[in-house]
Amino acid sequence: MINRDRLRIAAQKNGRLSDPARDLMSRAGLSFRESRDRLFCFGETQPVDLLLVRDDDIPGLIAEGTCDLGIVGRNVLDEQRLERAAKGLPPAFQEIRALGFGRCRLSIALPQDMPWEGPQTLAGLRIATSYPALLDDWLKQQGVRADIVMLSGSVEIAPRLGKAEAICDLVSTGGTLAANQLREVVVIHQSEAVLAAPVEALQDERAEICDLLLRRMDGVMQVREARLVMFESPRDAVSTVLALLHESETASCCALDGQADWLSVQVIRQGKLDWQTLEDMKRAGARRLLVLPVEQMLP
Ligand code: PRT
Ligand code: ZN
């Protein structure tokens, strides 16, 4: 195979994961020469090239050795992993990082007026899905026998068309289910975009490039989740307010000019802050709360 000294990443060409995947790569310092509507993009800043494909093709490209890394939904990766296992093929790809975007869940949904009394409710029903292997695996774990109806798209209209009684589909906001008078009854798989790699470690120069890229991606993800939280608090309330943040990192506190009882506090926190937490902090005595994203960080 040619270009063994360059790493090749597969990513989705057009779809939900395309923009966030490109953003992650660019934050990790990768830039590519070809425009994004081309299939192959040559890496300019690192010996890393990009192949833009349909998401369903990504696990296969890794399995056959055409690509060394892939950015793909865990749902697609796990579906194809189970498919290979059912055919008696050895594992060929694995998830090496969860990337924190493209979050969704694979759920069973029923028509709104149909009662749900646990997985046994599904016994003997037809369930439409684009994820037959994941569904089959879950049904076996539950000890439920049902008919799996494979559909490649528009799964949510299957009950109305009389093709199935239930569906098993990806859900993020739940809007599609509601619009089709369906009710989510059980989550069978949690998904987000992941970095996929071959099961066998790379041996040549690509191993080093891959390590560098992983370190950078880890740094990007750490910063992306980080928030700088700033507020003022009465001295005797600081520990209570900080406890609300569930943050083990030490906060830096300094006295406020001319207000001996008040401190100005700064703390880095992982993960977004919801309004409820901010309101609780205020109730505990804090004021002038400010939450900022972190651009770069060097501990
Ligand atoms: O062309 P290509 O094959 O590459 O793309 P695709 O059409 O197969 O995939 P795409 O771009 O739709 O999704 C890519 C990946 O995004 C999926 O494999 C998931 O990992 C992830 N993802 C995250 C989602 C959703 N959220 C999602 N909501 N994929 C699909 N949906 C669909 C779902 O199937 C349903 O039809 O959105 C609808 C439900 O959304 P809500 O918000 O109404 O619940
Ligand atoms: Zn697809």
Side-chain angles (χ1 to χ4, degrees):
M1 188 167 166
I2 38 167
N3 281 341
R4 303 306 278 181
D5 54 348
R6 296 182 69 83
L7 196 78
R8 199 177 288 163
I9 307 181
Q12 193 185 23
K13 186 174 184 197
N14 287 312
R16 292 169 194 261
L17 304 183
S18 321
D19 286 343
R22 292 289 287 223
D23 181 60
L24 171 65
M25 288 185 278
S26 113
R27 283 172 189 265
L30 302 181
S31 73
F32 302 96
R33 194 181 301 154
E34 298 308 279
S35 63
R36 56 178 310 176
D37 52 323
R38 300 274 180 86
L39 184 66
F40 186 84
C41 307
F42 181 81
E44 289 175 314
T45 43
Q46 292 289 331
V48 179
D49 303 321
L50 187 62
L51 209 58
L52 295 175
V53 294
R54 294 207 50 182
D55 64 347
D56 319 74
D57 295 336
I58 294 175
L61 288 167
I62 296 174
E64 69 190 32
T66 306
C67 291
D68 311 301
L69 288 175
I71 298 176
V72 64
R74 182 184 294 135
N75 48 302
V76 171
L77 200 69
D78 284 351
E79 174 72 16
Q80 295 196 23
R81 180 177 55 76
L82 291 169
E83 242 172 50
R84 284 181 65 92
K87 287 183 194 153
L89 294 167
F93 41 76
Q94 59 182 335
E95 172 179 334
I96 57 169
R97 290 291 188 284
L99 298 175
F101 57 85
R103 286 207 172 95
C104 57
R105 51 198 190 269
L106 185 62
S107 292
I108 308 267
L110 301 179
Q112 244 143 26
D113 51 6
M114 199 164 143
W116 170 251
E117 281 148 19
Q120 283 301 331
T121 310
L122 301 167
L125 299 187
R126 291 170 302 165
I127 313 173
T129 189
S130 308
Y131 296 90
L134 281 166
L135 175 57
D136 183 55
D137 189 55
W138 182 81
L139 287 170
K140 285 199 173 112
Q141 283 174 35
Q142 305 300 316
V144 173
R145 280 168 171 268
D147 286 339
I148 299 175
V149 179
M150 167 64 190
L151 294 179
S152 54
S154 306
V155 171
E156 65 279 2
I157 58 169
R160 258 188 297 157
L161 298 181
K163 288 186 178 178
E165 286 75 40
I167 70 160
C168 170
D169 199 11
L170 296 175
V171 182
S172 49
T173 61
T176 303
L177 292 183
N180 288 280
Q181 288 90 51
L182 295 167
R183 178 166 73 103
E184 184 177 6
V185 290
V186 61
V187 177
I188 72 161
H189 183 263
Q190 291 282 358
S191 185
E192 64 187 275
V194 300
L195 198 62
V199 169
E200 303 220 349
L202 300 169
Q203 297 297 347
D204 47 30
E205 284 102 301
R206 288 173 298 167
E208 223 169 285
I209 311 168
C210 186
D211 283 348
L212 170 101
L213 204 60
L214 285 180
R215 277 198 304 277
R216 287 193 184 179
M217 284 188 176
D218 287 342
V220 171
M221 285 189 282
Q222 218 180 349
V223 166
R224 192 172 50 197
E225 292 291 306
R227 298 287 181 277
L228 173 62
V229 185
M230 300 166 73
F231 58 92
E232 293 175 3
S233 165
R235 270 176 201 276
D236 55 7
V238 168
S239 56
T240 315
V241 176
L242 282 173
L244 291 167
L245 287 172
H246 303 293
E247 196 41 66
S248 53
E249 294 278 320
T250 40
S252 78
C253 304
C254 56
L256 276 180
D257 277 350
Q259 298 180 57
D261 294 341
W262 283 80
L263 291 175
S264 161
V265 186
Q266 287 193 5
V267 62
I268 296 283
R269 183 184 192 268
Q270 291 300 318
K272 278 187 184 156
L273 240 74
D274 53 23
W275 280 106
Q276 186 62 53
T277 308
L278 286 180
E279 283 151 8
D280 290 346
M281 290 167 72
K282 194 160 175 70
R283 213 165 295 126
R287 68 182 187 197
R288 305 174 82 165
L289 292 113
L290 204 59
V291 183
L292 304 167
V294 175
E295 181 73 27
Q296 277 169 313
M297 195 160 55
L298 210 56

